[in-house]
Amino acid sequence: MEDVIKRIVEAEKEAEARIEKAKQEAKEIIRTAKEEAKRIEEETIRKAEEESQNLIEKARLEGESEAKKILEDGEKEISSIREKAESNFETAIQEAIELVRGGLMCSGPKRW
């Protein structure tokens, strides 16, 4: 009978040791899972930030390209207007000269 009691006591001790080991393993699994979740979260945030920076850079480059095109188109238009103005200016001067010459010839000398 004493032998049976010893075996029961030993079995209880062994069961307690196994339970304690299982508790420790469960704690380790939870700790590892938390670490992995944190790593995944940090990686996801890093990738999202990287992607947003890429999108911002892409939009910035597209904006700069569009602004450059608008500026070039504007400069071409200004140049064209300038050329037309210079051309019209020369024509206006010629017409004014002709008008003055024609006006002087028709009315004779003016007396002031």
Side-chain angles (χ1 to χ4, degrees):
M1 177 89 151
E2 203 176 297
D3 194 35
V4 172
I5 293 175
K6 282 184 181 179
R7 281 194 246 160
I8 291 173
V9 169
E10 285 178 23
E12 286 177 348
K13 286 181 182 177
E14 188 177 314
E16 286 177 13
R18 286 183 181 176
I19 290 171
E20 189 58 34
K21 183 179 178 184
K23 286 180 183 179
Q24 292 301 320
E25 288 175 355
K27 285 180 184 178
E28 182 63 23
I29 290 169
I30 291 170
R31 186 188 64 76
T32 302
K34 285 180 180 179
E35 287 176 357
E36 183 65 14
K38 182 145 179 84
R39 186 194 64 74
I40 290 170
E41 178 184 22
E42 289 171 353
E43 179 70 14
T44 301
I45 290 170
R46 185 191 64 76
K47 285 181 179 179
E49 287 173 348
E50 192 176 281
E51 182 65 24
S52 67
Q53 287 300 319
N54 289 339
L55 291 172
I56 289 169
E57 181 66 13
K58 181 181 177 184
R60 184 186 65 78
L61 291 173
E62 287 175 358
E64 286 178 357
S65 176
E66 184 66 23
K68 184 178 179 182
K69 184 181 181 302
I70 290 169
L71 183 61
E72 288 172 356
D73 290 347
E75 288 174 353
K76 287 177 185 176
E77 190 171 336
I78 289 170
S79 178
S80 174
I81 291 170
R82 184 176 290 129
E83 287 174 13
K84 287 178 184 177
E86 288 172 359
S87 173
N88 289 341
F89 183 71
E90 290 295 322
T91 302
I93 290 175
Q94 291 301 319
E95 287 181 11
I97 291 171
E98 289 177 26
L99 182 65
V100 169
R101 284 184 183 163
L104 288 176
M105 292 184 165
C106 293
S107 64
K110 291 210 176 200
R111 295 186 185 171
W112 300 97

